[in-house]
């Protein structure tokens, strides 16, 4: 089987992290976002993953070369010279996706994190005999999304309602699809939306089905959702592989610590924290609801909450960082500095406190 991951553009919502690497390579729970998907695809028998990309393909391919051999899976790029929306990239990669077999192929949005129940998706797709299956997830505020109206018993999709003013349902497109090769005949090589143009057409022909995604789901393409996604992911990890989570008197709730990270005495860490490889957390530090990426040093008695600390950054003694602050790569916050909702571009030094949310360029 094959899979195409829609990598897309510049990842502006996750800046300043995406100023250092393309969005799919931003760490999430101690590994690049896209690796979570590639591993899940490999587990269900996918042998080739095609990345549909229009930004820094060389960086992506060079990075993923290592994982090709480790995971024993082929990873190739299909490069757009102009943005083609969410369906155009499938037409562009048509020759890569069709191999003479009539096997369906996966399509995934790159910034979706979930438990990836792909085996169940394959079984459901083969059982209904339609042309395409989309995964849907239940949300609390459907008026913010395009809602999928479906037959609850069969899963057949009836129609889509974009940002409904009155309640029509609470299931939205989860960005994980299994498509028959015939779907490619519906797509022209031009900017096209799979959600707004192709899926409604398949639904009108009564060949589109939806499967409700079990477990958690999050689009982690922006900081607030990234932090929420980490909580949901660690919660899921607790249920499935609790042995991967940190334990000890200094740990509160779900915490993921890379084996090469070092943690000092008298810290309190958690809930919902990921500490990346080679990071050093000195004594007396308080961490909650945050990600600390590779090679970070957090000095004594610093306090970080609801924030993301980018690669190789330093947080000074008694510093306090909170309220969705994002430090880019190689940012240095001096001792006793307070940062409230601050976004700091790479290679900067913060010498004095910033009390209101702002971007430091």
């Amino acid at each position: 089987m094959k899979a195409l991951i829609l990598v897309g553009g510049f990842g502006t919502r996750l800046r300043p992290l995406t100023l250092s690497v393309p969005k799919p390579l931003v760490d999430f729970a101690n590994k690049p976002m896209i690796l979570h998907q590639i591993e899940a695809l490999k587990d269900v028998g996918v042998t080739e993953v095609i990345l549909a990309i229009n930004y820094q393909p060389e960086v992506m391919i060079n990075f993923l070369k290592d994982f090709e051999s480790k995971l024993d899976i082929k990873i190739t790029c299909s490069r757009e010279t102009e943005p083609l929306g969410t369906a155009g990239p499938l037409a562009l990669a048509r020759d890569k996706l069709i191999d003479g077999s009539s096997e369906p192929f996966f399509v995934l949005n790159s910034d979706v994190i979930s438990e990836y129940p792909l085996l169940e998706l394959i079984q459901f797709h083969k059982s209904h005999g339609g042309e395409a299956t989309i995964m849907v997830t239940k949300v609390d505020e459907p008026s913010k999304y395009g809602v999928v109206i479906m037959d609850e018993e069969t899963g057949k999709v009836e129609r889509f309602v974009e940002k409904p003013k009155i309640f029509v349902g609470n299931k939205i497109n989860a960005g994980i699809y299994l498509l028959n090769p015939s779907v490619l005949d519906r797509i022209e090589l031009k900017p096209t939306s799979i959600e707004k143009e192709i899926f409604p057409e398949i639904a009108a022909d009564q060949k589109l089905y939806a499967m409700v995604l079990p477990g958690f789901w999050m689009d982690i393409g922006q900081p607030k959702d990234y932090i929420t996604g980490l909580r949901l992911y660690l919660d899921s990890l607790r249920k499935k592989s609790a042995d991967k989570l940190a334990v000890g008197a200094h740990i509160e709730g779900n915490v993921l610590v890379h084996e090469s990270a070092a943690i000092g005495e008298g810290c309190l860490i958690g809930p919902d924290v990921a500490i990346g490889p080679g990071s050093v957390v000195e004594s007396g530090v308080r961490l909650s609801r945050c990600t600390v990426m590779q090679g970070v040093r957090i000095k004594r008695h610093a306090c970080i909450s609801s924030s993301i600390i980018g690669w190789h950054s330093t947080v000074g003694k008694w510093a306090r960082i909170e309220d969705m602050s994002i430090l880019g790569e190689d940012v240095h916050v001096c001792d006793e500095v307070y940062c409230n909702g601050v976004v700091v571009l790479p290679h900067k030094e913060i010498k004095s406190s910033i009390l209101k949310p702002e971007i430091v360029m």
Side-chain angles (χ1 to χ4, degrees), residues 312-314 327-333 344-348 350:
H312 311 293
S313 292
T314 308
L327 306 190
E329 181 182 14
D330 181 42
V331 167
H332 303 284
V333 175
V344 188
L345 271 63
H347 317 298
K348 300 288 174 202
I350 305 297

Side-chain angles (χ1 to χ4, degrees), residues 64-319:
L64 292 166
K65 275 275 175 278
D66 291 347
F67 293 105
E68 263 196 320
S69 48
K70 278 181 197 164
L71 297 173
D72 188 29
I73 189 169
K74 187 178 178 186
I75 302 171
T76 57
C77 264
S78 172
R79 185 175 187 182
E80 305 165 41
T81 51
E82 59 167 328
L84 290 170
T86 48
L90 278 70
L92 186 65
R94 181 188 178 101
D95 293 346
K96 292 177 187 279
L97 288 167
I98 291 184
D99 55 6
S101 75
S102 55
E103 279 278 286
F105 56 87
F106 288 101
V107 176
L108 283 79
N109 289 343
S110 68
D111 37 17
V112 163
I113 200 88
S114 76
E115 287 170 10
Y116 306 116
L118 304 179
L119 200 57
E120 294 94 315
L121 180 60
I122 293 170
Q123 290 162 348
F124 176 64
H125 182 78
K126 290 187 172 170
S127 74
H128 63 62
E131 195 174 0
T133 308
I134 64 174
M135 279 205 164
V136 294
T137 186
K138 294 177 181 175
V139 291
D140 294 332
E141 293 183 61
S143 60
K144 288 162 56 177
Y145 304 93
V147 173
V148 181
I149 312 294
M150 58 188 273
D151 184 306
E152 296 297 330
E153 284 183 30
T154 64
K156 185 179 281 187
V157 175
E158 294 164 5
R159 60 196 169 98
F160 296 86
V161 181
E162 192 61 32
K163 296 184 179 175
K165 295 281 188 288
I166 56 168
F167 184 85
V168 291
N170 65 345
K171 297 180 190 72
I172 66 162
N173 181 339
I176 301 171
Y177 321 129
L178 192 56
L179 312 178
N180 287 353
S182 58
V183 171
L184 296 171
D185 298 333
R186 297 176 179 267
I187 305 171
E188 294 179 45
L189 184 53
K190 63 177 188 180
T192 314
S193 165
I194 200 165
E195 302 88 355
K196 293 178 181 172
E197 296 173 67
I198 306 303
F199 287 154
E201 185 185 299
I202 302 173
D205 290 344
Q206 302 200 346
K207 292 180 177 177
L208 183 66
Y209 287 78
M211 173 183 153
V212 180
L213 184 128
F216 80 98
W217 177 88
M218 201 73 209
D219 174 338
I220 54 172
Q222 54 188 341
K224 180 169 68 71
D225 296 336
Y226 177 106
I227 295 291
T228 302
L230 182 65
R231 173 176 63 77
L232 297 171
Y233 174 86
L234 294 177
D235 206 35
S236 168
L237 200 60
R238 162 80 58 199
K239 293 171 190 150
K240 291 190 161 189
S241 313
D243 57 319
K244 292 181 180 174
L245 295 172
V247 290
H250 62 300
I251 299 293
E252 188 175 272
N254 298 329
V255 175
L256 190 64
V257 180
H258 193 272
E259 59 200 21
S260 63
I263 296 175
E265 298 289 313
C267 293
L268 181 55
I269 296 175
D272 310 322
V273 172
I275 299 174
S279 286
V280 176
V281 179
E282 294 184 1
S283 59
V285 165
R286 174 74 179 105
L287 302 177
S288 64
R289 297 182 308 284
C290 65
T291 284
V292 174
M293 292 186 181
Q294 181 171 356
V296 168
R297 178 174 286 270
I298 299 172
K299 296 187 178 177
R300 295 197 309 278
H301 305 294
C303 178
I304 300 170
S305 67
S306 300
S307 297
I308 302 172
I309 311 299
W311 312 268
H312 311 293
S313 292
T314 308
V315 177
K317 290 178 281 190
W318 295 100

